[in-house]
Amino acid sequence: MTQDTAPAARLAALRPLIPGLTLAATVAAAASFLGEHYGAPVMLFALLIGMAFNFLATDGACAPGIGFASRTVLRAGVALLGLRLTFGDLAGLGWQSVVAVVGLIALTIGTGFVGAKIFGRQWRFALLTGGSVAICGASAALALSAVIPPNDKLERNTLFTVVAVTAMSTIAMVFYPVLFGLLDLGDRTTGFLIGATIHDVAQVVGAGYSGSEPAGDTATVVKLLRVAMLPVVLTIVILCLRFADATPGAERPALPWFVVIFAALAAINSTGAIPQPVLDGASTLSRAMLVTAIAALGVKTSLKAMVEVGGGHLGVVILETLVLLGAALALVYSGFLFI
């Protein structure tokens, strides 16, 4: 291939993606508009609007772009989340908070597997819901779905998990500050509890700063610590899957490129070398990519399939949420945390 024909070849390769990408981006833009004007979760709007276009999921024109948005665009959006983190902010929490958050994450994921046994669900669903409740809501669900070996229920369960954790986060954003206020906890303790127990980043920020600025600042940093655990959990999942499949010659899952980029961007951002306008732009781009990916996943999922999942799915998410809240309160009242 000559240098002159290379751009034309790349354009030809991208052309089949345009209809599906345009559909996903349009749904994402509509969801963002509605979210900003009505104060509702953008991810939830993207899912619901996307599901209305499910009839286009297998359309010959849209299918390639929808698949690209739900895979590659998703992974790129997760990778850019690394620019939200600096190791200095996380170190400022103190070792007790770090140990507490790591313990809460492990407990919540473990609860997912217990809940899956109780409600008759599979390990994939346990890992999806446990990881999303424990770490960072919808973003964690999307990242985990990218490394879990797929089956015929994975996309449906991923969409359900996103809907469930988004709804639970919105409820928690309203009621948790009231609960912690009634318990007469200090600003930083309240901030820790909000950051450690609410699933999605946006709802953590909203709940934290609804009380006070110190509570909001603490909640945000604690939540970012949970986000920082995402590549760690993904790596552990990949290693477990690799050792679980001992078949000679079997393909073993490798560490995904987006996990490596996530960690690298967090390390670079910790140096302070990236200008704030670049960080702001990257944050906006990351969110746009994740909303577009959610819209694409919505298009690929039928409402009928979502309705058929049953109450046991929701029971697992509620159990994980309650255990996380109870364990965080227990840590505070045990005197383990000094905040």
Side-chain angles (χ1 to χ4, degrees), residues 269-288:
N269 190 35
S270 298
T271 67
I274 303 178
Q276 188 60 45
V278 174
L279 295 178
D280 293 340
S283 177
T284 301
L285 178 60
S286 173
R287 181 163 182 79

Side-chain angles (χ1 to χ4, degrees), residues 141-179:
L142 295 174
L144 284 164
S145 71
V147 301
I148 293 174
N151 65 2
D152 59 339
K153 297 182 178 67
L154 182 60
E155 287 186 351
R156 181 200 70 181
N157 287 341
T158 300
L159 265 292
F160 177 87
T161 301
V162 170
V163 172
V165 298
T166 301
M168 296 296 290
S169 289
T170 303
I171 294 170
M173 180 180 67
V174 175
F175 289 103
Y176 281 15
V178 177
L179 170 64

Side-chain angles (χ1 to χ4, degrees), residues 132-325:
S132 61
V133 170
I135 304 171
C136 54
S139 299
L142 295 174
L144 284 164
S145 71
V147 301
I148 293 174
N151 65 2
D152 59 339
K153 297 182 178 67
L154 182 60
E155 287 186 351
R156 181 200 70 181
N157 287 341
T158 300
L159 265 292
F160 177 87
T161 301
V162 170
V163 172
V165 298
T166 301
M168 296 296 290
S169 289
T170 303
I171 294 170
M173 180 180 67
V174 175
F175 289 103
Y176 281 15
V178 177
L179 170 64
F180 301 148
L182 291 174
L183 296 175
D184 196 25
L185 302 171
D187 286 340
R188 293 200 66 200
T189 301
T190 297
F192 173 86
L193 288 170
I194 288 172
T197 57
I198 297 181
H199 312 330
D200 282 314
V201 175
Q203 281 86 338
V204 166
V205 173
Y209 286 106
S210 68
S212 66
E213 186 169 336
D217 291 343
T218 303
T220 301
V221 175
V222 171
K223 184 60 183 178
L224 290 179
L225 173 58
R226 292 167 69 190
V227 174
M229 293 301 297
L230 179 58
V232 178
V233 172
L234 291 175
T235 302
I236 293 172
V237 169
I238 291 166
L239 291 174
C240 290
L241 292 172
R242 178 174 294 183
F243 288 116
D245 186 2
T247 305
E251 183 179 352
R252 304 296 178 83
L255 190 64
W257 59 267
F258 68 90
V259 177
V260 177
I261 294 176
F262 180 106
L265 290 177
I268 294 171
N269 190 35
S270 298
T271 67
I274 303 178
Q276 188 60 45
V278 174
L279 295 178
D280 293 340
S283 177
T284 301
L285 178 60
S286 173
R287 181 163 182 79
M289 285 180 167
L290 292 177
V291 175
T292 300
I294 283 285
L297 285 170
V299 173
K300 294 174 72 174
T301 302
S302 69
L303 181 59
K304 180 182 177 181
M306 291 290 289
V307 172
E308 290 174 348
V309 299
H313 272 48
L314 185 59
V316 174
V317 177
I318 292 174
L319 176 63
E320 292 162 347
T321 300
L322 293 177
V323 168
L324 176 59
L325 175 61

Side-chain angles (χ1 to χ4, degrees), residues 45 58 97 195 316 335:
F45 274 131
T58 57
S97 295
V316 174

